[in-house]
Amino acid sequence: MRILFKHLDVPDIDDMDVYIREGGYKALEKALKEMSPDGVIQAVTKSGLRGRGGAGFPTGKKWAFIPKDPSLKKYLCCNADESEPGTFKDRELIVRNPHQLIEGMAICCYAIGSERAFIYIRGEYIEPARKMEQAIAKASNRGFLGERILGTDFNLQIQVYRGAGAYICGEESALLNSLEGIRGEPRLRPPFPAIKGLYESPTVINNVETLANVPHIVLNGGEWFASIGTEKSTGTKVVSMSGHVNNPGNYEVDMGTPVREIIFEHAGGILGGKRLKAYVPGGSSVPMLTEKHLDVGLDFESMLAAGSMLGSAGFMVMNEDTCIVRATLNMARFYAHESCGKCTPCREGTSWMVEMLESIEEGTGKMGYIDRLVDIANNINGRSFCALGDASAMPVLSSIEHFRDEYETHVSERGCPFAGDRGFALRGG
Amino acid sequence: MKISGEAQRRILDAKTRYPSRSSAILPALHILEEDQGYVTEEGMAEIAGLLDMPMSDVGGVASFYSMFMQRPSGTYRLDVCRTLSCALLGSEHLVDYLSEKLGIKVGETTPDGLFTLRTVECLGDCGKAPVMMAGDTYYEDLTPEKLDAILDDLRRKAEA
Ligand SMILES: Cc1cc2nc3c(=O)[nH]c(=O)nc-3n(C[C@H](O)[C@H](O)[C@H](O)COP(=O)(O)O)c2cc1C
Ligand code: SF4
Ligand code: FES
């Protein structure tokens, strides 16, 4: 079912007038005129919507944590940092339909009593940021933002805030620091952002996709949304498909859709008619799975039961020619590069893992390195200051779990057993 | 070089746009880089002055983010994505190709000052891998032939 992409075939849906013609901003009007802020939170709670930024926290519950005290300033930060490897859905949600996001943000702000919201967008998304700014300006002119929205006493200002190339700023507390103008390192919790977030004020941080779902929930009701997907993972999920697939791109599927259907029907199967070897289902921060895991459903519970996580639903697909050590090395380098350096296990551990993987791939590794890698990863996982550390352990632990023999062959044959490109070939070449 | 009057005005405007002045540092650094091509010491000192913030705060923010260049770079930065989905579809070959064609290593600038070659992490466009960013533009589904055409095009643009 298409909810977020239901307008995919409507030309110029990014234009506000077209959006309005297609029923846009009706949900905002309904929320402001027919529902109380608590009523909105109840509808979102009933819908079962869970955060699409990776952790899957129930959205209604997050909003309900915000203190009701009207004398407190409150903020909403929309997380559009989207730097998780393999993930490019928020970009499309913004570029295709910026008003859907604005409407979702406005409804959220009404529900939590906020008059000021920010969209924190990664620095490289220059065009999407411009697009968002133009859409905000248009919506303000039309009275969907600004003072006394739609004739009510609700006011809201939304601003775009550009990051500048730091994966860690997608982590919510680092995002807050970045927005406040200090180095984007994670904060100690508690206090949680709902109590002390941006500028020490109660703050909700939600992913783009999470917020884009909100107008549809308000318009059609929480029960309707809860009837889509699985019992505990409701609604749809936008999956980003990339790597060795024939039709890469974003696809919106019901939660619970089997991975086989997503890879072989939506994404058109494996590039070059090859066999699937491995895939990461939720951006590189979740454990990889294999051909054995094709009947797993795409939802929070099924992914967990299969030994991975839903994460961002950014699929990176690898075919049978891919050297797993090399692929793992690639992901390990990412975390070593993006570690903010604040805590020792992550700062040191991510670099060690890169060094050991390099020597295994180059043929100078020893058998003992494999268990050492597992040790290092286990020492980062759960012992780091923030979840980036845990994430860095996932590719290493899962690749050794599923492909230990391939690591061993690298060591015993003193080098990579894969010929030529090792699966890292040019598209079509 | 002093930053332009226009950039100064934009920085002063940013100063009023957020609940705290320090929030204007990051936007100001973007403005500075657009104006000067990289974040100069002099420019950061000006930002500190305009925002009434200590220079160390501005420098601390600037050094945290990988997008800000701390020294002059070529007119065009060729930022090739090296993360997994692009790598699986050949981005390493493309980096080698560019390196050979331009006669520079990753991190270097061509003698004519036109191109700086860099590798970057996932650009959030993996469905169109391999991807490169140059200026404001994303170049997608890259092949060596496409790179040839892009370089020619950028050269022509630089001459115009
Ligand atoms: C290292 C790291 C990077 C993250 N990057 C993002 C991101 O780019 N976008 C995002 O929405 N959430 C990201 N998150 C998750 C956020 O911390 C947060 O959980 C999320 O934005 C909450 O929104 P949601 O409840 O709507 O999912 C990241 C977390 C970590 C630990
Ligand atoms: S785990 Fe890594 S990214 Fe997170 S605070 Fe520690 S060093 Fe920084
Ligand atoms: S891996 Fe290159 S854009 Fe994501």
Side-chain angles (χ1 to χ4, degrees), chain A residues 168 186 339-343 346 384-386 388-389:
Chain A
I168 189 61
S339 166
C340 81
K342 185 183 170 108
C343 66
C346 169
S384 300
F385 190 82
C386 85
L388 186 147

Side-chain angles (χ1 to χ4, degrees), chain A residues 75 82-88 91 116 118 120 122-127 130 157 159-166 168-169 178-185 199 241-244 248-249 271 316-318 322 326-327 330-331 333-334 337-338 340 421 423-427, chain B residues 14 16-27 30-31 34 53 57-68 79 82-94 119-130 133 135-138 140-144:
Chain A
Y75 294 101
E82 191 158 71
S83 305
E84 177 68 24
T87 314
F88 46 97
R91 174 196 179 86
R116 199 135 185 203
F118 295 93
Y120 187 96
R122 61 177 298 178
E124 293 85 351
Y125 283 1
I126 297 172
E127 275 309 312
R130 256 184 222 142
Q157 181 190 3
Q159 276 173 275
V160 173
Y161 197 87
R162 289 180 58 210
I168 189 61
C169 290
S178 178
L179 232 163
E180 285 186 17
I182 52 181
R183 295 169 71 85
E185 288 166 358
Y199 311 115
M241 301 299 296
S242 71
H244 293 147
L271 201 62
M316 295 194 286
V317 177
M318 293 166 259
T322 312
R326 197 173 166 90
N330 181 290
M331 292 187 267
R333 275 195 186 126
F334 173 83
H337 183 254
E338 297 297 338
C340 81
D421 282 314
F424 289 67
L426 274 176
R427 173 179 281 286
Chain B
T16 64
R17 294 190 69 209
Y18 304 98
S20 104
R21 267 178 298 145
S22 56
S23 290
I25 296 177
L26 194 48
H30 279 298
I31 296 167
E34 268 173 48
M53 305 280 308
D57 287 7
V58 179
V61 171
S63 64
F64 188 80
Y65 299 95
S66 65
M67 265 181 86
F68 295 127
D79 288 349
R82 67 174 183 190
T83 309
L84 188 59
S85 294
C86 286
L88 287 171
L89 295 167
S91 69
E92 293 173 37
H93 295 282
L94 297 178
T119 55
V120 295
E121 300 297 352
C122 180
L123 286 166
D125 196 22
C126 333
K128 301 272 168 59
M133 187 178 183
D136 291 6
T137 311
Y138 275 55
E140 306 173 325
D141 295 317
L142 290 173
T143 59

Side-chain angles (χ1 to χ4, degrees), chain B residues 8 50 65 102 149:
Chain B
Q8 286 187 14
L50 289 168
Y65 299 95
L102 298 171

Side-chain angles (χ1 to χ4, degrees), chain B:
Chain B
M1 200 167 56
K2 264 188 85 66
I3 60 177
S4 68
E6 167 66 12
Q8 286 187 14
R9 261 193 308 282
R10 287 174 61 201
I11 291 169
L12 284 174
D13 174 56
K15 185 180 177 180
T16 64
R17 294 190 69 209
Y18 304 98
S20 104
R21 267 178 298 145
S22 56
S23 290
I25 296 177
L26 194 48
L29 287 165
H30 279 298
I31 296 167
L32 171 64
E33 204 184 43
E34 268 173 48
D35 193 62
Q36 303 280 300
Y38 70 108
V39 286
T40 58
E41 280 295 313
E42 225 185 332
M44 286 195 281
E46 275 202 68
I47 290 177
L50 289 168
L51 299 181
D52 299 317
M53 305 280 308
M55 174 67 179
S56 55
D57 287 7
V58 179
V61 171
S63 64
F64 188 80
Y65 299 95
S66 65
M67 265 181 86
F68 295 127
M69 298 293 279
Q70 309 275 342
R71 51 201 164 84
S73 68
T75 312
Y76 296 104
R77 275 180 235 160
L78 308 177
D79 288 349
V80 185
C81 174
R82 67 174 183 190
T83 309
L84 188 59
S85 294
C86 286
L88 287 171
L89 295 167
S91 69
E92 293 173 37
H93 295 282
L94 297 178
V95 172
D96 290 346
Y97 182 78
L98 283 171
S99 177
E100 197 162 306
K101 182 161 169 142
L102 298 171
I104 52 171
K105 292 207 247 335
V106 172
E108 293 179 348
T109 301
T110 50
D112 61 5
L114 261 188
F115 300 111
T116 301
L117 178 60
R118 304 200 309 171
T119 55
V120 295
E121 300 297 352
C122 180
L123 286 166
D125 196 22
C126 333
K128 301 272 168 59
V131 180
M132 166 179 94
M133 187 178 183
D136 291 6
T137 311
Y138 275 55
Y139 295 94
E140 306 173 325
D141 295 317
L142 290 173
T143 59
E145 297 73 45
K146 272 198 185 172
L147 283 177
D148 287 343
I150 292 162
L151 292 185
D152 286 347
D153 195 47
L154 292 177
R155 280 206 183 90
R156 240 174 290 142
K157 254 194 211 147
E159 271 166 29

